[in-house]
Amino acid sequence: MGNQKTTKVKQQYYIPLEVKEGTIITKEYEEAPRTWSKIGNRRVRTILIPATEEQYKAYMQPEWKEDKRQQRLVEKRKKREKAQAEHRDDSSVQGWDTPVSFERLCETEYGFLEKTGQAGLEEILEKEELLEALHRELAKLEELDQTILQMVINGSSEAAIGQEVGLSQKGVNKRKHRLLEQLRERLEDYR
C-alpha cells in the first residue's frame, strides 16, 4: 500500500475550428470527425484541433469573456423587466439600452447621477479645461523635465529615473517637487 504510485494523466486541449462553407481545411484534418461545439454563445459544427494549454487559453479567453458579458446582460435585462413589471424605478438595473425620457435626463443632469458621485456637465467641462491647460504647461517644459514626469507617472523609482537622466536620486527628488509646485502655481486659476 505504501509503494503505490499515482500517475498524473496529462489533459489534452483542443481548439474548436468552425466548419462552414468556405472554411479551408488542411489535408491532415479533412477526414477529422465533425462535432458540435459551443463557441461563445453559439453551437456550431467544428473540427477539434489539438493544442497546448497556453494556446487553448489564449484562444478561448476572449470567448469566455464575451460569454460572461452576455450572461450579465441577460441577468440585467431580466432584473429590469421585473422592476418594470412591478412599476418601480430601479436605476441599478438601467443599461445603455434603457429608454430614458428627456425630462429624466434633465432631472439627472443629462445622465450624470449625483447619488453615484459622478460629476455634472459643468464640472466635466471644468475638468476638460484643466486638462487642456495641463497639456499646454507640460508642453512648455524642458525635455529633461518631461522625461522625469513621464517616468514618475509610469511608476519608476527616483533612483531609476536618476540613472536614466543622469542625475542623483536626491536631484531627481528636488527637481520633481519643484516641477509639481510650478505646475500647481500655473494651474491655480483652474481649481
Side-chain angles (χ1 to χ4, degrees), residues 28-178:
E28 62 186 309
Y29 294 107
E30 282 179 349
E31 300 301 320
R34 274 47 170 183
T35 60
W36 286 98
S37 299
K38 186 175 178 186
I39 297 181
N41 290 325
R42 304 175 301 131
R43 290 194 55 77
V44 293
R45 300 278 294 161
T46 62
I47 296 174
L48 298 177
I49 310 293
T52 65
E53 182 179 5
E54 293 80 24
Q55 290 170 331
Y56 175 76
K57 287 182 178 179
Y59 176 82
M60 294 302 290
Q61 203 82 36
E63 299 292 337
W64 293 332
K65 283 183 180 179
E66 177 61 20
D67 190 35
K68 194 65 173 172
R69 190 182 72 80
Q70 291 294 333
Q71 288 174 9
R72 286 188 193 114
L73 281 174
V74 168
E75 288 172 15
K76 198 169 192 177
R77 194 169 290 125
K78 285 179 183 176
K79 284 181 183 177
R80 185 172 55 243
E81 289 169 358
K82 183 179 178 186
Q84 288 172 346
E86 295 172 357
H87 301 292
R88 60 183 170 88
D89 188 24
D90 187 357
S91 60
S92 68
V93 294
Q94 289 185 350
W96 61 269
D97 59 343
T98 305
V100 180
S101 69
F102 179 73
E103 290 78 20
R104 175 84 172 136
L105 280 175
C106 290
E107 288 171 9
T108 61
E109 292 192 45
Y110 301 99
F112 300 101
L113 300 173
E114 291 299 322
K115 63 184 176 187
T116 63
Q118 293 177 326
L121 189 57
E122 192 173 304
E123 194 174 328
I124 290 173
L125 292 174
E126 288 173 6
K127 286 181 181 179
E128 285 182 8
E129 287 178 10
L130 173 63
L131 282 174
E132 288 175 15
L134 178 61
H135 285 287
R136 284 193 304 271
E137 292 300 325
L138 289 173
K140 293 178 187 176
L141 296 176
E142 296 176 28
E143 187 176 334
L144 175 66
D145 294 336
Q146 289 179 358
T147 302
I148 289 172
L149 287 178
Q150 186 62 48
M151 291 182 77
V152 167
I153 290 168
N154 291 337
S156 299
S157 68
E158 290 176 351
I161 296 170
Q163 287 179 342
E164 180 72 26
V165 297
L167 293 173
S168 68
Q169 180 178 349
K170 190 172 184 177
V172 169
N173 183 293
K174 285 182 178 181
R175 195 157 187 140
K176 177 182 77 171
H177 286 290
R178 185 178 48 79

